[in-house]
Amino acid sequence: MNCYEELVARGLIAQVTNEEEIRKMVNEGKATFYIGFDPTADSLHVGHFMALCLMKRLQMAGNKPIALIGGGTAMVGDPSGRTDMRQMMTVETIQHNCECFKKQMSRFIDFSEGKAMMVNNADWLLKLNYVELLREVGGCFSVNNMLRAECYKQRMEKGLSFLEFNYMIMQSYDFYELFQRYGCNMQFGGDDQWSNMLGGTELIRRKLGKDAHAMTITLLLNSEGKKMGKTQSGAVWLDPNKTTPFDFYQYWRNVGDADVLKCLRMLTFLPLEQIDEMDKWEGSQLNTAKEILAYELTKLVHGEEEAEKAQTAAKALFGGQGNLDNMPSFQLSDEDFTDGKIELLSVLQKSGLAPSRSEARRNVEQGGVSVNGQQVKDIKAAFEKAAFAGDGMIVKRGKKNFMKVTVK
């Protein structure tokens, strides 16, 4: 199966322009393509996963990825999918986030020997003269068409700032610059970016002529992929200091039954034939499929050693196999104890299992907390320091949150 056909079979392609030409370029390894990443945090999260995996697949087929970091567009903010304006960031914060991104992307993309590039649109956007920009590209955009774009329509009632209204022009200008500077002839993005990407394609054609090759593709579930990055307790980051490899593994281990095969197709590099066989699996076999998904994605992000550790810890915790050395842990200090004891509510809050003491109290009262496998419903429960010695105490909140608590 050729590269483009595999992208389709994995459910990654939603809309395209010039499909036959795109298929030919991708399959022959002649695409120089970009995907944009706004540096709104110092770590990528699992919502970026689909884009990173796509870049890796295309590079493996001989195509050249450009990871475009939105150092310039981040100064404005993308209105897509938002109900209010983004908080403005400093240039220093944006630069720091860009450096963090490249380190994480290097696990997916080979940046050596000109095989890929990372560029920052601040290099051209921050140098633009406003009047010159209006004269150069302003006539290429219809305000009527812009207002019909989904990313703007959903904001019109609640308010759309003129600052954000310029985002489509800036993103379109990115493709125009990348085409001229680096021969970038293709752009990928989520379904929520479709209008912005078409704007870039049209800008190139109007400025450089109808023969200019500029093509557009959207990913099927990128907007859903962004939702993947959020859980009830916050974001699931690719940075191990923000989301441990164990928690990352557990996140994917706990995906819904209806999503596991979809995630295996879109996000892993397992052969489609192997995944298609899993279509026949039912009941407990779906848990095996989730373990495969969790292991493969943890290996992609954190390496095989960390994936093995996370899987071993999960089996020890849930299946009574292996040891608990690699599960998330927290160390109490002597100062945490009063008269040689510590309350359970304090353990939950200090370890991060509960965000506040009141939340910890509610969890205990509702029967959602256990210690070493035994449910505890007494909000006044307290433990001697000796209980945390040796292998420590396994504290569980809810069905998915665990912590091995020890003492220094």
Side-chain angles (χ1 to χ4, degrees):
M1 187 182 294
N2 290 325
C3 181
Y4 184 82
E5 285 70 26
E6 182 171 359
L7 297 180
V8 173
R10 288 183 179 272
L12 288 166
I13 303 299
Q15 300 181 75
V16 300
T17 61
N18 308 321
E19 183 171 33
E20 289 305 314
E21 196 167 357
I22 287 172
R23 176 187 285 108
K24 187 174 187 293
M25 290 180 67
V26 167
N27 288 342
E28 293 179 359
K30 295 180 179 179
T32 299
F33 67 96
Y34 95 89
I35 297 180
F37 300 84
D38 274 347
T40 52
D42 59 0
S43 173
L44 298 165
H45 56 69
V46 300
H48 297 111
F49 222 10
M50 190 182 301
L52 294 171
C53 292
L54 177 74
M55 296 174 86
K56 181 178 177 70
R57 291 184 205 282
L58 288 163
Q59 187 179 53
M60 290 167 62
N63 300 286
K64 183 176 180 178
I66 298 176
L68 178 66
I69 305 299
T73 40
M75 302 290 285
V76 172
D78 183 359
S80 299
R82 295 188 61 83
T83 57
D84 55 5
M85 196 167 74
R86 291 185 187 275
Q87 184 177 354
M88 303 294 274
M89 296 188 296
T90 66
V91 174
E92 292 76 17
T93 298
I94 291 171
Q95 182 57 38
H96 170 71
N97 294 350
C98 291
E99 292 168 0
C100 294
F101 277 19
K102 185 167 186 179
K103 183 179 179 181
Q104 292 177 350
M105 287 179 179
S106 295
R107 295 200 69 93
F108 294 81
I109 305 164
D110 181 2
F111 287 100
S112 67
E113 301 173 2
K115 295 178 181 177
M117 300 177 64
M118 174 176 281
V119 296
N120 190 332
N121 63 14
D123 293 346
W124 53 84
L125 290 179
L126 298 189
K127 297 175 183 177
L128 290 173
N129 176 285
Y130 186 60
V131 174
E132 289 179 1
L133 176 67
L134 287 177
R135 291 176 62 86
E136 184 177 4
V137 305
C140 298
F141 290 86
S142 162
V143 171
N144 291 348
N145 289 339
M146 292 174 71
L147 290 176
R148 282 193 287 268
E150 196 61 38
C151 60
Y152 291 149
K153 282 168 60 178
Q154 62 188 4
R155 286 289 301 279
M156 291 301 291
E157 292 184 6
K158 295 186 177 180
L160 174 71
S161 70
F162 182 71
L163 176 72
E164 294 172 295
F165 187 66
N166 281 268
Y167 191 89
M168 180 185 291
I169 296 175
M170 295 175 73
Q171 183 172 331
S172 300
Y173 193 84
D174 283 343
F175 196 20
Y176 176 63
E177 281 288 328
L178 291 169
F179 181 88
Q180 295 185 97
R181 290 177 179 230
Y182 309 113
C184 180
N185 50 26
M186 198 175 296
Q187 57 181 334
F188 285 76
D191 52 359
D192 58 339
Q193 298 294 313
W194 184 243
S195 297
N196 295 344
M197 294 193 294
L198 289 180
T201 300
E202 183 63 20
L203 178 60
I204 290 173
R205 288 174 179 164
R206 294 190 64 171
K207 295 295 295 182
L208 304 177
K210 293 182 179 179
D211 293 333
H213 288 293
M215 304 177 192
T216 306
I217 292 181
T218 67
L219 308 185
L220 176 60
L221 291 169
N222 200 18
S223 58
E224 186 169 319
K226 290 179 181 179
K227 297 174 188 176
M228 288 180 186
K230 298 289 184 179
T231 66
Q232 292 182 351
S233 59
V236 178
W237 304 100
L238 305 194
D239 184 342
N241 295 316
K242 289 177 172 287
T243 299
T244 67
F246 177 85
D247 287 334
F248 187 85
Y249 177 96
Q250 282 301 112
Y251 172 79
W252 294 107
R253 172 61 182 80
N254 291 315
V255 299
D257 290 354
D259 295 328
V260 59
L261 271 297
K262 180 170 60 179
C263 290
L264 279 165
R265 286 193 177 92
M266 292 192 301
L267 304 178
T268 76
F269 289 81
L270 295 175
L272 279 170
E273 296 80 8
Q274 180 180 348
I275 300 172
D276 289 341
E277 282 296 312
M278 298 182 196
D279 263 333
K280 306 170 187 175
W281 292 5
E282 297 177 349
S284 62
Q285 286 182 306
L286 288 176
N287 289 330
T288 301
K290 294 177 186 180
E291 290 173 0
I292 293 171
L293 173 69
Y295 179 84
E296 291 294 325
L297 298 189
T298 305
K299 182 172 70 172
L300 263 177
V301 174
H302 299 296
E304 189 169 3
E305 182 179 351
E306 291 298 330
E308 292 283 354
K309 289 179 181 179
Q311 188 172 68
T312 299
K315 287 183 177 180
L317 201 54
F318 299 106
Q321 308 170 31
N323 62 67
L324 297 169
D325 292 344
N326 299 305
M327 72 173 293
S329 61
F330 178 81
Q331 273 196 331
L332 297 169
S333 64
D334 290 340
E335 291 75 22
D336 293 322
F337 292 85
T338 302
D339 297 329
K341 291 185 177 183
I342 185 171
E343 294 180 328
L344 176 59
L345 300 185
S346 296
V347 172
L348 289 166
Q349 184 179 5
K350 290 178 181 293
S351 67
L353 282 171
S356 65
R357 190 175 177 87
S358 60
E359 181 70 9
R361 175 191 292 269
R362 186 181 66 81
N363 293 149
V364 172
E365 288 176 336
Q366 293 180 353
V369 175
S370 65
V371 174
N372 292 335
Q374 299 295 315
Q375 186 184 63
V376 180
K377 299 186 72 172
D378 181 4
I379 60 171
K380 296 182 179 180
F383 303 92
E384 302 276 352
K385 184 187 294 186
F388 301 94
D391 292 334
M393 177 185 288
I394 306 301
V395 184
K396 174 184 174 184
R397 183 185 69 83
K399 294 181 178 180
K400 303 174 184 178
N401 301 295
F402 295 83
M403 191 71 67
K404 179 171 68 173
V405 184
T406 59
V407 65
K408 292 181 182 178

